[in-house]
Amino acid sequence: MPKVLVLRFSSIGDIVLTTPVVRNLKQQLSGAEVHYCTKSQFGILFENNPYIDKVFYLDKSLNNLISELKKEDYDYVIDLHNNLRTSIIKWRLGKKSFTFDKLNLKKWLLVNLKLNTLPSLHIVDRYMATVKKLGITDDTKGLDYFIPSKDKVNPQNFGLEPDKYIAFAIGAQHATKRLPLQKLIEACSLQDMPIVLLGGKEDKVSGDSVVEACKGLPFPVINLSGQLSLNQSASFLEQSKFVISHDTGLMHIASAFKKEIYSIWGNTVPEFGMFPYLTKYHILEKNKLSCRPCSKIGYKQCPKGHFKCMNELDLKQEFDIIKKQENPVSRAFPN
């Protein structure tokens, strides 16, 4: 009965993207006990996952964490983060390990020289390749997200009907991955059914401004940014008709529920492999900009000062093209 430790410290989206590895390890290694190590603020992602037997948290002391992990006597360590701290953990544990290839050089070439040598693979497929030598194969069931019953919401309490509203994830960790306020308002005005705005406390002011600007629309726009837990936001995603989202954690949670996703991209690009996974989706992006991508993550503000990747994004044209297609196809790797 093998005991396996999976390492991934952050963030929400990246951790959700590791769930197929966890599930397949648990189901394909006979009698396996699967443990996960992350940061404490992401513990909510694991509290209802049936494929994880125990969770360890990286808080202040790496030495204390390693002392706890040594007591478990693991057979295998699966490193899906691949940074200095995970390298120290692997070295100190001294167990057989398998490490995710971050392809940092290829990412650097795309960001700095606009030379794309990255494989046309989703990052989940690359995560799965990390455990291939253990005989683990992908069951193609997609991502997992489990909402505890206590956190499931009833949209009717907010004047909404399940499957008859749009969930719009308006936040993102970095400003250059988020639509400017006027573009958020425009995106809402192009819809034809009620909209729920989802995000963190830092998104509440923007959400309130969108609601104020959209008062004349024939349907309500409701701002719940900063008012819900992550699981409650996930529950709104699960019951929506479809989801509009930036490149952020809620987009990947929506993928876990197999929602149709309108995925909006700014300074980053889908070619990094982080587009919606195994669900119907549409990419909205400003192609053929010489400065894009300018980062593999994002910035507080556009380094060029013009923010063309978002400011010049023709949302009306993008939504019109998608809605006119009888069988829409994803455009994750445009020619």
Side-chain angles (χ1 to χ4, degrees):
M1 294 193 298
K3 184 181 283 190
V4 184
L5 173 66
V6 178
L7 302 172
R8 179 73 218 192
F9 297 142
S10 62
S11 52
I12 292 172
D14 296 286
I15 291 170
V16 172
L17 290 167
T18 69
T19 55
V21 175
V22 169
R23 181 183 66 247
N24 286 298
L25 283 168
K26 184 68 174 178
Q27 294 186 331
Q28 295 178 36
L29 283 180
S30 181
E33 186 174 338
V34 179
H35 295 184
Y36 203 107
C37 184
T38 190
K39 292 181 180 179
S40 58
Q41 63 260 43
F42 303 116
I44 191 173
L45 298 170
F46 304 100
E47 61 183 21
N48 222 40
N49 191 318
Y51 305 115
I52 297 176
D53 299 289
K54 193 172 184 178
V55 182
F56 290 89
Y57 297 111
L58 172 67
D59 289 317
K60 293 183 179 180
S61 173
L62 184 60
N63 285 331
N64 288 347
L65 171 62
I66 292 173
S67 296
E68 288 186 61
L69 296 175
K70 281 185 174 180
K71 296 174 186 177
E72 299 293 338
D73 192 24
Y74 292 108
D75 295 287
Y76 307 113
V77 178
I78 313 299
D79 181 2
L80 300 181
H81 203 130
N82 190 5
N83 67 3
L84 177 59
R85 287 176 296 186
T86 61
S87 297
I88 292 171
I89 290 172
K90 289 181 293 186
W91 176 64
R92 294 276 299 275
L93 293 183
K95 300 296 182 179
K96 187 173 181 61
S97 62
F98 302 86
T99 303
F100 170 64
D101 186 351
K102 297 171 79 169
L103 302 179
N104 281 336
L105 176 58
K106 293 179 183 292
K107 292 177 183 177
W108 186 92
L109 289 172
L110 181 53
V111 170
N112 294 280
L113 302 181
K114 306 301 180 276
L115 179 61
N116 185 13
T117 60
L118 287 163
S120 295
L121 289 172
H122 197 283
I123 194 170
V124 172
D125 299 316
R126 291 169 47 211
Y127 281 150
M128 288 300 305
T130 308
V131 294
K132 185 177 180 180
K133 290 183 178 179
L134 282 173
I136 305 300
T137 59
D138 189 3
D139 60 11
T140 68
K141 293 181 180 179
L143 308 178
D144 285 325
Y145 195 93
F146 302 95
I147 305 173
S149 57
K150 64 181 177 63
D151 290 328
K152 293 185 177 180
V153 298
N154 183 356
Q156 293 179 330
N157 293 338
F158 298 82
L160 302 167
E161 293 294 326
D163 200 42
K164 293 183 180 180
Y165 66 88
I166 300 165
F168 193 164
I170 64 172
Q173 185 175 1
H174 301 280
T176 51
K177 297 171 78 172
R178 299 193 300 264
L179 286 170
L181 178 59
Q182 287 304 314
K183 286 290 184 179
L184 285 175
I185 295 168
E186 179 186 353
C188 290
S189 69
L190 293 170
Q191 309 312 315
D192 57 4
M193 67 176 71
I195 302 171
V196 173
L197 306 179
L198 302 174
K201 293 178 180 179
E202 66 279 7
D203 303 307
K204 186 179 185 306
V205 173
S206 293
D208 287 343
S209 297
V210 172
V211 170
E212 181 66 25
C214 292
K215 282 185 175 179
L217 296 178
F219 51 83
V221 177
I222 301 170
N223 181 29
L224 296 181
S225 300
Q227 301 180 50
L228 305 172
S229 69
L230 180 61
N231 282 335
Q232 290 170 330
S233 294
S235 186
F236 269 103
L237 292 173
E238 185 180 28
Q239 298 176 77
S240 67
K241 179 69 174 178
F242 62 86
V243 175
I244 304 172
S245 179
H246 301 121
D247 170 23
T248 188
L250 288 181
M251 180 184 77
H252 299 301
I253 293 174
S255 296
F257 299 131
K258 302 294 189 291
K259 307 307 294 186
E260 181 175 1
I261 300 171
Y262 292 77
S263 180
I264 301 170
W265 294 73
N267 80 293
T268 58
V269 292
E271 283 83 352
F272 287 132
M274 304 285 282
F275 49 93
Y277 186 65
L278 292 188
T279 193
K280 184 178 181 180
Y281 69 97
H282 320 276
I283 300 295
L284 288 74
E285 62 181 340
K286 177 68 176 178
N287 281 321
K288 299 180 180 179
L289 286 176
S290 61
C291 58
R292 183 172 177 264
C294 62
S295 166
K296 64 180 182 181
I297 301 175
Y299 295 111
K300 290 183 179 179
Q301 60 185 18
C302 173
K304 297 287 187 180
H306 52 61
F307 203 22
K308 288 183 179 180
C309 58
M310 286 298 197
N311 286 326
E312 294 187 359
L313 182 59
D314 191 335
L315 291 172
K316 185 179 187 305
Q317 182 183 59
E318 292 285 331
F319 277 109
D320 284 347
I321 290 172
I322 292 168
K323 291 177 180 179
K324 287 178 182 178
Q325 293 174 329
E326 293 183 6
N327 296 297
V329 293
S330 62
R331 293 181 287 121
F333 297 107
N335 295 322

